[in-house]
Every structure is written in C-alpha cells, then in structure tokens.
Amino acid sequence: MVIKVVKGNPTPEELAAALAVVQARAAVLASAPSGAPRVVDAWADPSRLAARTLPQPGPRAWARTYWPGRG
C-alpha cells in the first residue's frame, strides 16, 4: 500500500495517526467475509430523504413548505 501526502506538511505524529486509522479500516474490511452483505448506516440511506411527506395544499401551505415539522 502506498500513501502519498499531496497537500500540507503533516508532523510525524499526525501522519502516524492517519496511517493508524487507514490500517485499522483495512483490517476490518479484510476480516469481513467476502459474501457478507454490506451494512449501510441509517444516516447514509437515501430512502430516509424520500420518506418525508410533502405538505398538503391549502391556505397555509406556503408556511408549511418553509418550516419543516410544522403544520
């Protein structure tokens, strides 16, 4: 594995910390079974954005479009 710093000038401690994170992540991915389904965090799930309901038309619909969670 080759890692290249393309911007900035990290200290040896900063570079060691960044490499430790990269190595830990690689170790987790290497230990996972190859046929295991990939788990997607809820915050990254695109369906959570589609689950919102649109405001219903009416005399105060303009207010409900600007202030989510009201009306």
Side-chain angles (χ1 to χ4, degrees):
M1 173 174 20
V2 176
I3 295 180
K4 180 179 177 182
V5 177
V6 294
K7 187 174 183 180
N9 190 16
T11 65
E13 293 82 13
E14 291 172 333
L15 191 54
L19 289 176
V21 170
V22 170
Q23 288 178 335
R25 180 71 176 148
V28 168
L29 292 176
S31 67
S34 61
R38 187 171 159 222
V39 177
V40 177
D41 290 331
W43 67 267
D45 187 9
S47 66
R48 72 180 177 91
L49 297 175
R52 295 181 184 161
T53 59
L54 296 175
Q56 297 300 314
R60 296 195 40 92
W62 63 271
R64 290 191 304 261
T65 60
Y66 185 72
W67 300 105
R70 291 188 180 184

